[in-house]
Amino acid sequence: MSAGPGAGVDLGGPGPEGVDPASRPPGAIRDRRLSPTLLVGAVLVGLVVVGAAVSYVWTPYDPVRVDATARLLPFSAEHWFGTDRFGRDVFSRVLVGARTTLLVGVVSVGLAAAVGVPLGILAGMTRGILPTLIMRACDLLLAFPALLLAIMFGAVFGGSTLTAMVAIGIATIPSFVRVVRAGTLQVMSTEYVLAARAAGRMRPAIAWRHVLPNVSGVVIVQASVSFAIAVLAEAALSFLGFGTPPPTPSWGRMLQEAQPLLFLAPRIAVVPGVAVALAVLGFNLLGDGLRDVLDPRTREIR
Amino acid sequence: MSPAVRTVPGRDDRDRDDLVLDVAGLSVHAGDLPLVQDVALSVRRGERVGLIGESGSGKSLTALSVLGLLPTGLRASGRVRVATAQGPHDVVGSSERAMSAVRGRDVAMVFQEPMTALNPTMRVGRQVAEAMRLHGVDARAAGARAVELLADVRLPDPAAAARAYPHQLSGGQRQRVVLAMALANDPGLLVADEPTTALDVTVQAGVLDLIVAGVAARDAGLLFISHDLAVVATVCDRVAVMTDGRIVETGDVAQVLTAPDHPYTRRLVAAADLSVVDDRGRLTGGAGTRRPSAPPARASSGGSAAAPPEHDRPGDGSADWLGAPIIEVSGLSRTYAGRRTSWRARPEPVHALRDVSFTVARGERLGIVGESGCGKSTLLRLLAGLDTPTSGTVRIEGAQVSGRSERELVPLVRRRLQLVFQDPMGSLDPRMRVADIVAEPLVAQGLPGGRERVRELLTAVGLDPDAARRYSHQFSGGQRQRISIARALAPSPSILVADEAVSALDVSVRAQVLDLLADLVDDLGLTLVFVSHDLAVVRHLCERVLVMEAGRIVEEGPTAALFEAPDHPYTRRLVGSIPTIAGALRGDRPADLAAGAGSDADSDVTTDPSPARP
Amino acid sequence: MLARLATLLGSLAVSSVVVFAFMQVLPGDPARVALGLNASEEAVAAMRSHFGLDRPLLVRYLDWVGGLVSGNPGESYISRAQIGPQLADRFAVTAWLVLAGMVIALLIALPLGVLMAVRHRDAVGLVTSAVSQIGVAIPSFLAGILLIAVFAVGLRWLPAGGWTPPAVDPAAFLARLALPALSLGLVQGAVLARYVRTAILDVMSEDYVRTARSKGLTPLRALWRHGLRNAAIPVVTVLALQLATLLIGAVVVERVFVVPGLGSFLLDAVAQRDLVVVADIVMVLVVCVLVVNTLADLAYGLLDPRTRGVR
């Protein structure tokens, strides 16, 4: 506030009404700093990441070792989450399964962002036939949801972690293109882009210096939400047998193996089920929380 | 504490029952943060009271408190009493149900933004009728009365307008619909919050006239909130001045504006009057200048606008000192493909600019005025090489600019011509530090200077050089506009183009930025092209002016002469519809402005030729 | 309107090319794949000519599309059974499932979403919002497994799976429809409820709702009279996407409940590498999604007068 002579009458700044009480009541300002949504989301996601990391150095038992003497054991001190019908330790398998979940999520979301963000910026910054083509292609791709695409891939190439990742990634591209294009159009209509052009900036520089930093918020939020969807899709694919092949543990496959045993030991379905739900919940909450921080314009989408 | 509310002479004899609004000790808090403090206000039947304040003064919250419509999270305390048929009703602490019965019947409101104030999915007539149906009028009568009300606010073909959806009406028309809605139940008090701020000046004149006439016809009270002193002076009898959540002065309009009591009011009134300048033509007596050493003197404005400053301009009074034109525009047209309104019909092309020609002399200050949609923004973009004309040419310092590639434009235009924009929020990238913002033209054009140059520029626009490390959202509107100016000056351009550069600023800040611009133009020998809808600002700053309407230049000439004796009918309407403090003190009322605006209040009908008939 | 239909036809054409191209990617000759490695050259050649595999690609594509359009997609390479009647039967099963799921989802989402928005500042809003977040996080097949565990295994109220057509035994039909439809509807309901909540919260902060209140409407009536139709505009778009999600969700849920719908048909065909059947089923699903999206676009125009006549 030191700058500007006569600052005493300079009321153009964010005065009491500058915070716009209509859209953001002052109580919410504190909420933003330590939003419970963000906190819970971060903790849950952290749990999954730590679980996967720990599984590389330590698991209570070998997650794939079959032990006919220890089949369908209940929860106990030796086997925290019991054992499955082959006598494998469920806790160890859940830990290792987190790796599969994260791998599929990171690769598919990474693929979608790597393709979707540049296409979105391109569609937002150019005119004529190109943006129309890109958006039409996206509309079309939306008619092939991740699961359908993965099943098609599975039918032709055989189901594997790779086909699942690629299918989920491709199916996620349109959502990135859409949010990035919307963000780009918004940035391109601002006066600071006009100022940058008047300053002599070329298009690539505008894309890099102005558009990308200003859409990065929505990209991060979209990545988090897409991650949750990818976790769901991977679980469903493994459940159907199109994802990670045995014996590598994955939560979806554990659920598939548990289903025939529902009459005998329903608890076996509970553990991987809770794992999937918590992971999805974590990424969804993280996305919502980040949206409040990074993109105050749109409070919440889901 | 605010000074005691002065009673207006001649009104003492009025009965207390005449009070339609009685506010005392009103405070609004957000948590523990006070936003409005100890406000006292009263409005009587037939009285028009203005509430003046700059952004953040708490005037809008005061208005919303009167209707009990504060946003969630804000809490009002004190006394807000409005008159109803059943006697005075206390708004603070009233139940939602009881308040709903009062709203729209005894007290109604007109909001600032006509574009969003109406439900986009409901026909206009139904929205007006709803206001009556809620208070006991049956459907048939309400529907018929709605059409009458729309006729009262002079909508062309009111029956068709009633069947239209809001998006089929222009901004001015929508504001009339909101007004019709507010007046539907003949309320005793009308609250209008910046009702014409979003409208063009000729449209404003009509809407102001309708508000005053509508209130007068019902012998209702009016609480009129505005930042614009001239508008308040024209509309109101009595005025309250608000700053920092408090009312600092209340009194008769003439008295407050001619002999303000409170220091804040004095500053505000001084800043609003652009005709009072010191011997250097400055408004703030050096407060807004960037350094103590006085820049070369400039003849004060007035009749002799052509008198040049000493430096950079050879010769004397005659026209040839202007030398070769620095900007030459000839036969410039720009046509956009229109929006498709039907699947089969070919879209109508939009002629944003039609055959525009003019020149700007080196060192000249040229104003371009016109209302929204007149093509001034298009013209500015073409000048700056940000858009390509459909036909015609732009020459800058002799070099043909139109149709060049971005790369060719850098030495031809970008180095020579820089822009200052309207929106102090939107013209600075929120993700960049001030240093990078100001240095952007240097980096983009490969010019030397770097950090030192940025510090120099920030000092030149009156900012602390340490501002370079911060982000733009940490600055006030006026400061952000200074940053914007510093960026424009970075490549040492010879031409500065300002697009409504002070329109978004509060009055007091506006004066400082105007002085800064004038200083810089003088000191650096810049040529200034100043685009604005605000004739007073242009008159203050510019020597020559172009008036634009519907993509054409309809009149041009020396500023003072043109505004004293406008020749073209459009210019006459434009000049005639502008509210001024001086005019208001002479007794000008909104009806006079509406008459000045020419074809009475229907002048904004032209902006949307096809209302109704969905 | 016409433009929208043209877009739909274009999308259908392009997606059919994509699906057809996909079938051709498989290495090797479909006839040899179908008959096995031990088949004689003559048998393979006979099969190739029987199915027209020796004809040019374009002819085969047109033949395939023509078959689908005329409702007679020919016979399977593997089982040699006519695909058409089976496709129709299976489609009916999946349609029941999806429609019931959608109805359940709407029944949950509309009241819950409005409640969450209106009470978004107090405990009721917080708790419902948390519940819906958890609902969003549960995959539909997991919901199915849990429902089986509770209602079929634990309480023994409903069968754990299988299918009875409504014409055969309406009571058994409903009993067997209940759990799969619920597992689809519960999860989609939670997702949809969050969209409804957002849409209503957005509308509640609109200027025109404030205008409505200044006329004398209470907050709830202002929301009812002015908010709902405007809030419906974004929700309708989401609804279309949700229907696509339900359709795909049905594929998995059918597997959980052993329901003979399109999903099980698809998975069986994939398992047998019966590519013609796979392509046919995928095409049917894609057509459904595209048609629903088009209908949503048209509904959008009806709800929002601003878009009328522009498209």
Side-chain angles (χ1 to χ4, degrees):
Chain A
M1 283 311 289
S2 61
V9 287
D10 190 342
L11 295 175
E17 279 181 1
V19 296
D20 193 3
S23 68
R24 189 175 294 287
I29 295 170
R30 200 163 9 116
D31 293 351
R32 250 182 84 182
R33 217 161 279 161
L34 209 132
S35 131
T37 309
L38 188 61
L39 195 71
V40 174
V43 166
L44 289 178
V45 169
L47 219 59
V48 179
V49 173
V50 167
V54 164
S55 75
Y56 280 101
V57 290
W58 173 81
T59 51
Y61 297 87
D62 182 345
V64 295
R65 201 197 63 198
V66 175
D67 183 353
T69 62
R71 288 162 56 177
L72 294 178
L73 291 179
F75 296 179
S76 68
E78 290 87 59
H79 295 282
W80 291 357
F81 293 159
T83 58
D84 66 10
R85 65 178 158 145
F86 299 112
R88 297 175 296 195
D89 180 54
V90 172
F91 181 59
S92 304
R93 290 178 68 74
V94 167
L95 283 186
V96 177
R99 287 190 217 163
T100 314
T101 296
L102 285 180
L103 177 71
V104 173
V106 166
V107 172
S108 58
V109 172
L111 173 76
V115 178
V117 173
L119 280 182
I121 290 180
L122 210 57
M125 285 186 73
T126 55
R127 280 176 198 186
I129 191 77
L130 188 64
T132 313
L133 271 180
I134 293 174
M135 297 322 288
R136 279 270 175 278
C138 282
D139 289 347
L140 197 66
L141 210 48
L142 280 177
F144 294 88
L147 234 53
L148 190 59
L149 215 52
I151 292 172
M152 284 168 71
F153 277 29
V156 174
F157 305 110
S160 70
T161 313
L162 183 70
T163 53
M165 291 188 301
V166 172
I168 296 171
I170 291 177
T172 313
I173 291 173
S175 47
F176 275 93
V177 174
R178 286 185 162 195
V179 299
V180 170
R181 172 170 175 268
T184 303
L185 285 176
Q186 199 256 324
V187 171
M188 290 305 285
S189 70
T190 60
E191 288 188 339
Y192 60 78
V193 165
L194 219 50
R197 289 183 59 202
R201 287 274 194 208
M202 300 295 150
R203 281 177 175 279
I206 289 174
W208 183 252
R209 303 270 320 208
H210 294 286
V211 176
L212 200 57
N214 282 290
V215 300
S216 61
V218 292
V219 169
I220 292 170
V221 170
Q222 184 60 44
S224 190
V225 172
S226 293
F227 208 112
I229 296 170
V231 171
L232 278 174
E234 192 275 335
L237 281 174
S238 299
F239 179 81
L240 293 178
F242 286 95
T244 310
T248 312
S250 80
W251 296 344
R253 183 164 287 279
M254 289 168 76
L255 280 167
Q256 184 205 24
E257 289 165 355
Q259 200 200 342
L261 304 172
L262 275 181
F263 289 88
L264 267 170
R267 64 175 182 279
I268 304 180
V270 169
V271 176
V274 168
V276 171
L278 286 184
V280 175
L281 182 64
F283 281 104
N284 272 337
L285 291 178
L286 188 67
D288 282 355
L290 287 172
R291 182 176 356 253
D292 288 346
V293 178
L294 297 173
D295 186 20
R297 284 182 304 271
T298 57
R299 277 186 312 278
E300 223 173 271
I301 284 179
R302 16 192 343 174
Chain B
M1 271 307 291
S2 55
V5 179
R6 260 174 275 173
T7 10
V8 181
R11 292 208 183 272
D12 309 18
D13 51 327
R14 284 236 190 177
D15 194 348
R16 257 200 86 78
D17 290 349
D18 262 3
L19 274 183
V20 286
L21 174 66
D22 176 18
V23 177
L26 170 70
S27 297
V28 176
H29 284 82
D32 297 329
L33 184 71
L35 302 176
V36 171
Q37 281 181 286
D38 199 20
V39 159
L41 258 182
S42 66
V43 180
R44 289 165 188 283
R45 258 194 190 285
E47 191 183 28
R48 299 185 298 270
V49 177
L51 184 57
I52 288 183
E54 297 183 292
S55 56
S57 61
K59 58 186 192 305
S60 288
L61 292 179
T62 304
L64 291 170
S65 305
V66 170
L67 276 87
L69 281 179
L70 283 176
T72 338
L74 300 190
R75 192 168 36 80
S77 57
R79 185 177 79 205
V80 177
R81 197 170 281 169
V82 294
T84 74
Q86 293 81 41
H89 178 89
D90 277 306
V91 174
V92 177
S94 168
S95 76
E96 193 54 55
R97 178 171 295 275
M99 205 52 229
S100 296
V102 172
R103 280 188 213 119
R105 187 189 68 196
D106 303 302
V107 45
M109 187 156 177
V110 176
F111 299 94
Q112 172 170 0
E113 197 34 80
M115 304 313 271
T116 53
L118 293 170
N119 182 348
T121 58
M122 199 190 265
R123 292 182 200 273
V124 161
R126 274 192 64 198
Q127 297 193 50
V128 177
E130 186 186 35
M132 289 174 275
R133 296 200 54 194
L134 287 170
H135 299 286
V137 180
D138 72 80
R140 184 179 294 267
R145 178 80 183 117
V147 177
E148 284 172 32
L149 283 162
L150 292 175
D152 284 352
V153 294
R154 291 177 226 160
L155 280 177
D157 196 353
R163 288 193 303 271
Y165 285 100
H167 73 276
Q168 294 166 308
L169 304 178
S170 71
Q173 291 171 335
R174 289 189 215 187
Q175 197 65 312
R176 290 151 188 236
V177 172
V178 175
L179 179 64
M181 212 150 78
L183 295 175
N185 294 307
D186 303 331
L189 174 68
L190 180 69
V191 180
D193 185 6
E194 304 263 11
T196 56
T197 305
L199 303 177
D200 273 327
V201 64
T202 52
V203 180
Q204 161 173 291
V207 172
L208 289 179
D209 182 26
L210 288 170
I211 290 178
V212 170
V215 168
R218 291 161 176 83
D219 193 29
L222 173 69
L223 179 61
F224 189 94
I225 289 95
S226 180
H227 70 285
D228 190 326
L229 274 67
V231 168
V232 169
T234 311
V235 170
C236 301
D237 321 313
R238 213 149 55 80
V239 61
V241 181
M242 201 165 178
T243 181
D244 283 335
R246 290 174 186 277
I247 288 184
V248 294
E249 186 162 359
T250 310
D252 222 41
V253 165
Q255 187 202 345
V256 170
L257 294 182
T258 51
D261 205 32
H262 192 274
Y264 173 77
T265 319
R266 258 178 269 157
R267 277 208 306 273
L268 193 68
V269 171
D273 191 354
L274 296 177
S275 63
V276 179
V277 292
D278 63 15
D279 52 351
R280 288 171 34 250
R282 298 300 181 263
L283 297 159
T284 51
T289 48
R290 58 215 171 84
R291 57 189 152 85
S293 67
R298 199 178 87 88
S300 74
S301 61
S304 58
E310 280 110 15
H311 75 105
D312 232 36
R313 290 175 184 177
D316 54 4
S318 63
D320 61 44
W321 58 263
L322 292 166
I326 192 165
I327 301 174
E328 294 164 84
V329 172
S330 73
L332 204 61
S333 297
R334 180 69 170 98
T335 307
Y336 295 103
R339 215 158 48 115
R340 194 173 270 275
T341 50
S342 155
W343 155 243
R344 261 155 306 201
R346 186 172 281 277
E348 283 285 309
V350 177
H351 299 283
L353 216 55
R354 309 167 193 241
D355 192 23
V356 165
S357 304
F358 64 94
T359 60
V360 186
R362 188 177 293 276
E364 194 181 13
R365 301 168 173 198
L366 176 73
I368 300 178
V369 299
E371 297 183 287
S372 55
C374 72
K376 56 189 196 297
S377 299
T378 306
L379 174 59
L380 180 145
R381 281 163 164 264
L382 292 173
L383 278 184
L386 296 170
D387 191 5
T388 316
T390 310
S391 64
T393 57
V394 175
R395 283 173 184 277
I396 303 232
E397 295 193 334
Q400 152 78 21
V401 163
S402 320
R404 301 273 191 172
S405 75
E406 284 285 327
R407 212 162 286 281
E408 289 171 320
L409 284 173
V410 171
L412 293 180
V413 180
R414 310 289 184 233
R415 182 92 27 105
R416 296 169 176 171
L417 180 150
Q418 282 293 310
L419 291 162
V420 178
F421 296 95
Q422 169 173 11
D423 179 8
M425 299 295 289
S427 58
L428 306 176
D429 189 334
R431 298 268 162 166
M432 276 183 155
R433 284 177 200 280
V434 169
D436 295 320
I437 290 172
V438 174
E440 184 157 42
L442 302 175
V443 176
Q445 302 181 20
L447 297 172
R451 199 168 301 171
E452 248 337 283
R453 175 81 177 139
V454 170
R455 294 180 69 87
E456 219 175 276
L457 287 163
L458 288 174
T459 314
V461 296
L463 289 173
D464 186 337
D466 289 337
R469 285 198 301 270
R470 298 199 271 164
Y471 287 94
S472 59
H473 62 78
Q474 293 168 287
F475 296 89
S476 69
Q479 291 167 335
R480 279 190 286 254
Q481 212 57 330
R482 287 169 193 266
I483 295 170
S484 195
I485 294 171
R487 168 178 58 194
L489 296 177
S492 308
S494 45
I495 306 165
L496 197 59
V497 176
D499 182 9
E500 303 272 9
V502 296
S503 304
L505 302 178
D506 277 326
V507 201
S508 51
V509 185
R510 180 181 74 174
Q512 296 164 22
V513 174
L514 282 175
D515 279 357
L516 173 69
L517 274 176
D519 283 344
L520 291 168
V521 167
D522 279 356
D523 287 6
L524 304 172
L526 298 177
T527 304
L528 180 69
V529 177
F530 193 91
V531 176
S532 183
H533 71 282
D534 188 334
L535 274 64
V537 168
V538 169
R539 183 170 186 167
H540 163 74
L541 200 62
C542 301
E543 300 149 346
R544 196 160 65 93
V545 62
L546 308 178
V547 181
M548 291 188 70
E549 188 207 7
R552 290 200 175 85
I553 295 176
V554 294
E555 190 166 2
E556 72 172 287
T559 315
L562 188 140
F563 288 153
E564 291 305 328
D567 193 36
H568 190 274
Y570 175 75
T571 317
R572 279 208 292 271
R573 279 206 290 139
L574 197 62
V575 173
S577 59
I578 296 169
T580 60
I581 294 177
L585 294 177
R586 278 197 310 269
D588 279 1
R589 293 288 138 216
D592 303 313
L593 300 182
S599 58
D600 81 333
D602 283 341
S603 58
D604 62 318
V605 169
T606 48
T607 45
D608 185 21
S610 59
R613 224 19 294 142
Chain C
M1 177 86 181
L2 281 175
R4 197 62 196 77
L5 282 178
T7 309
L8 173 64
L9 287 179
S11 306
L12 286 174
V14 175
S15 47
S16 69
V17 170
V18 170
V19 172
F20 183 78
F22 224 84
M23 288 197 298
Q24 313 304 321
V25 174
L26 186 70
D29 179 352
R32 191 166 291 283
V33 172
L35 293 173
L37 289 174
N38 300 331
S40 66
E41 285 301 322
E42 293 78 34
V44 170
M47 182 172 173
R48 285 175 64 90
S49 72
H50 178 75
F51 285 102
L53 290 172
D54 44 2
R55 295 175 301 163
L57 219 53
L58 183 66
V59 178
R60 279 161 55 203
Y61 167 72
L62 292 176
D63 196 38
W64 176 66
V65 171
L68 276 177
V69 171
S70 66
N72 179 23
E75 52 189 86
S76 156
Y77 293 172
I78 309 290
S79 67
R80 299 280 177 117
Q82 282 295 323
I83 301 172
Q86 216 179 346
L87 207 56
D89 289 352
R90 302 286 194 125
F91 181 78
V93 172
T94 301
W96 276 116
L97 216 55
V98 168
L99 283 180
M102 201 73 209
V103 169
I104 292 170
L106 283 173
L107 287 178
I108 293 170
L110 296 182
L112 192 68
V114 173
L115 183 71
M116 283 195 288
V118 173
R119 306 287 294 267
H120 73 118
R121 282 175 194 282
D122 61 26
V124 175
L126 205 68
V127 170
T128 43
S129 185
V131 168
S132 73
Q133 275 286 15
I134 292 169
V136 169
I138 294 176
S140 51
F141 66 91
L142 178 57
I145 291 175
L146 295 178
L147 287 174
I148 292 176
V150 175
F151 291 101
V153 178
L155 299 171
R156 298 183 179 279
W157 286 357
L158 293 164
W163 185 257
T164 311
V168 175
D169 180 355
F173 163 72
L174 285 178
R176 294 199 143 145
L177 180 67
L179 288 186
L182 261 180
S183 37
L184 284 173
L186 283 175
V187 172
Q188 291 309 316
V191 175
L192 205 56
R194 298 205 63 79
Y195 281 105
V196 171
R197 170 180 185 266
T198 306
I200 289 184
L201 277 179
D202 283 350
V203 162
M204 287 202 309
S205 67
E206 289 283 352
D207 281 357
Y208 55 78
V209 171
R210 187 176 62 179
T211 308
R213 288 190 60 198
S214 80
K215 288 197 272 190
L217 283 160
T218 58
L220 274 182
R221 288 183 70 201
L223 177 63
W224 177 253
R225 311 251 312 229
H226 293 268
L228 285 192
R229 178 163 174 187
N230 288 292
I233 295 170
V235 170
V236 162
T237 317
V238 174
L239 217 58
L241 287 173
Q242 292 293 297
L243 212 65
T245 315
L246 271 181
L247 214 53
I248 302 311
V251 171
V252 193
V253 167
E254 283 171 16
R255 167 74 21 137
V256 177
F257 289 94
V258 205
V259 173
L262 272 186
S264 342
F265 196 20
L266 176 64
L267 295 174
D268 292 344
V270 169
Q272 292 164 9
R273 307 216 122 197
D274 197 345
L275 285 188
V276 184
V277 177
V278 171
D280 288 346
I281 299 171
V282 167
M283 222 30 234
V284 169
L285 293 173
V286 168
V287 168
C288 289
V289 173
L290 288 174
V291 167
V292 165
N293 284 345
T294 305
L295 290 178
D297 264 13
L298 296 178
Y300 201 99
L302 286 181
L303 284 167
D304 190 346
R306 285 166 295 188
T307 61
R308 263 179 235 166
V310 174
R311 279 174 209 263

